[in-house]
Amino acid sequence: MNPLQNTGSPELVSPFSGLGLHEQIVDAVSRAGYTTPTAVQAAAIPAALLGDDLMVSSATGSGKTASFVLPTLQRLVANPGRPAPGRGPRALFLSPTRELSLQITKACETYGRTLRWLRVASVVGGMPYGAQLRALRGSLDVLIATPGRLLDLLTSGRVTLASVETFVLDEADRMLDMGFIEDIEAIANAIPRSRQTLLFSATLGGKVGDLAGNLMRTPRRIEIATPPAATKAITQRLHWADGRVHKDKLLDRLLADPTIDQAVVFTSTQRDAERLAESLQADGHAVSALHGGMPQGLRSRTLSALRQRRLRVLVATDVAARGIDVPTITHVINYGLPIQVEDYVHRIGRTGRAGRSGLAVTLAEHAEVRTIRRIERFTDAKIPVSTLEGLEPRQTHRPGSGHGEERRRGHGYRPGGPAARKQGAAHRDARPHEGYRKNATRGRQGGN
Ligand code: AMP
């Protein structure tokens, strides 16, 4: 036998150690229950460990968080030594929303649980400054932040980024959509050029490509062609509804399904989320609303009620629901269609988490056929149409049809419909919460 051959049982050798990760980190990954790296992890981790700048296209639920957290931890382990208290972090992760930031913070704690010395902090909008400032004054390895709050602290001299070696932009496309471009560039200018920059985004072209050109040094592009494992586990269905009353009946029937463990029902506006949660509660459901207009304390309590399974149904808007990672969500129901088609993908990604299967049901009124076709073009797949016995729609649509439908039909006002979107733009959930800080001086017009 070749003396160099590994004679240990192959099951005992984690494929994560083959990626070049330190055994303490591999140990934490195994304790998290992961046996095999996902496609994005297998491609991005070794490349990041080489020190290259990376642009990575990755979908929701693909395991991308570990793709940047693990190599960052590895760098900290390989070159120990933390900046002095108040000298800022060695790694900075920027993410668009506080929910996502808190999710990443949790991931750092999970993947870094064997590194007792590790100090992680987050600074995000909408939370009190006190605890965040205290964390910044101490010694710090990793800082997770939303751009608005971080820039606030940077310009007021309460944080320095002079020690940052690894700079990660998560969901870069989303941050740009939210109007954070100038904040991101100002933040990047405060970080030494010698840094390693890792950018993750659903798309790599257009504005994201321009941003990468400004912030990165000849980045390597990593594009994951195969759909993420988690998305494959999501079954999609479409029900056509003749109108609001029909849609409510479909929702009632769907929520009576005993196979639902927990469900997220999406609406297009905050007002719809409030109203629908109230009416479902009146029907006896364990339900709560979650939207950007709610105070942060209440949002956090709602999310922990969901995690503790005190809620069966969450009625949410897009921004508020981003980053929710609750494996017991078995169903996503699109009661109001997303305003941006890519949010469809983010929405359905709330189910089918952590290798489980999930069902994503979309309820669409006939007048919304064009939005459905846009979603199908964006995801490059038809959403199979389905009916419920006794609740069949009067009208059906041929796949691919849709031209002129919205012009011919649906002129009346419906909450969440196209007319409402125009009238009620101030109530949309499509703006970043932190936008308020800037808008506040001009007078606030509503909420997200
Ligand atoms: P992310 O795309 O980073 O939000 O991860 C999506 C989900 O996949 C999270 O619930 C992770 O905990 C889980 N996950 C990440 N990496 C793996 C892996 N290698 N094996 C199994 N689950 C994973």
Side-chain angles (χ1 to χ4, degrees), residues 270 421-429 431 436 445-448:
Q270 295 182 2
R421 279 174 217 152
K422 272 192 212 114
Q423 295 168 12
H427 293 275
R428 282 181 187 180
D429 206 80
R431 256 186 310 136
Y436 292 172
Q445 294 285 317
N448 68 334

Side-chain angles (χ1 to χ4, degrees), residues 176 256 266 299 350 434:
L176 294 181
F266 280 97
R299 286 167 71 172
R350 296 309 110 211
E434 290 186 330

Side-chain angles (χ1 to χ4, degrees), residues 209-290:
D210 296 343
L211 177 71
N214 292 338
L215 299 190
M216 308 174 89
R217 290 163 298 153
T218 52
R220 247 179 88 178
R221 282 171 81 102
I222 294 180
E223 291 177 69
I224 306 301
T226 49
T231 319
K232 275 195 255 167
I234 301 169
T235 306
Q236 299 174 59
R237 245 167 49 192
L238 173 66
H239 290 278
W240 288 111
D242 294 324
R244 185 61 174 251
V245 173
H246 186 199
K247 201 158 83 165
D248 285 340
K249 284 185 184 158
L250 289 167
L251 180 66
D252 258 9
R253 178 82 67 84
L254 290 167
L255 288 179
D257 180 348
T259 67
I260 293 182
D261 197 341
Q262 288 181 298
V264 181
V265 178
F266 280 97
T267 59
S268 312
T269 67
Q270 295 182 2
R271 218 174 335 152
D272 280 359
E274 288 282 349
R275 216 212 47 221
L276 188 60
E278 273 169 30
S279 90
L280 291 175
Q281 191 164 39
D283 289 345
H285 290 284
V287 57
S288 184
L290 183 78

Side-chain angles (χ1 to χ4, degrees), residues 41 49 55 139 195 230 250 374 390 409 419:
Q41 290 164 3
L49 291 177
M55 290 176 77
S139 299
R195 67 177 183 251
L250 289 167
R374 277 198 294 132
R409 299 172 175 280

Side-chain angles (χ1 to χ4, degrees), residues 97 99-100 103 307 319-326 350 353:
T97 64
E99 276 76 17
L100 191 59
Q103 209 71 60
R307 285 204 183 90
V319 168
R322 273 183 86 87
I324 295 179
D325 185 6
V326 178
R350 296 309 110 211
R353 309 290 284 180

Side-chain angles (χ1 to χ4, degrees), residues 16 29 32-38 41 59-67 100 103 111 230 325 327 353-355:
F16 281 92
V29 168
Y34 308 161
T35 50
T36 320
T38 64
Q41 290 164 3
T60 183
S62 60
K64 68 182 159 67
T65 315
S67 305
L100 191 59
Q103 209 71 60
Y111 305 142
D325 185 6
R353 309 290 284 180

Side-chain angles (χ1 to χ4, degrees), residues 94 116 148 173 241 253 268 303 322 338 349 362 408 412 416 439 445:
L94 271 192
R116 296 229 168 128
D173 51 339
R253 178 82 67 84
S268 312
L303 280 175
R322 273 183 86 87
T362 298
R408 284 201 301 274
N439 294 341
Q445 294 285 317

